[in-house]
Amino acid sequence: MRLEPLELRLLRQGGPLLDQVRQALAAHGRPLRWAITAVESSSEGSVLVVEAVVVVEDA
């Protein structure tokens, strides 16, 4: 098991924000902690910058 720092940029979709962030983080490991550190505007909509630490299980 190891801890990995992670920074994601997510395009904001309709629906619950918490579900979107959790789903994106789960693709990289089990989130230990995370925070939305910025929201940027783009031509496609709002882009969230999420910084996290995830737990990755070694096989």
Side-chain angles (χ1 to χ4, degrees):
M1 171 173 51
R2 68 185 190 283
L3 301 178
E4 296 264 333
L6 180 66
E7 182 176 290
L8 295 177
R9 300 175 67 81
L10 304 173
L11 180 60
R12 174 75 163 101
Q13 305 294 319
L17 179 59
L18 183 57
D19 290 342
Q20 293 174 47
V21 173
R22 285 181 175 164
Q23 185 175 31
L25 291 173
H28 298 277
R30 184 170 42 91
L32 180 63
R33 66 171 181 80
W34 60 271
I36 297 172
T37 57
V39 179
E40 302 168 352
S41 185
S42 78
S43 59
E44 299 173 0
S46 296
V47 176
L48 308 175
V49 179
V50 179
E51 294 182 21
V53 174
V54 295
V55 177
V56 178
E57 300 294 334
D58 294 324

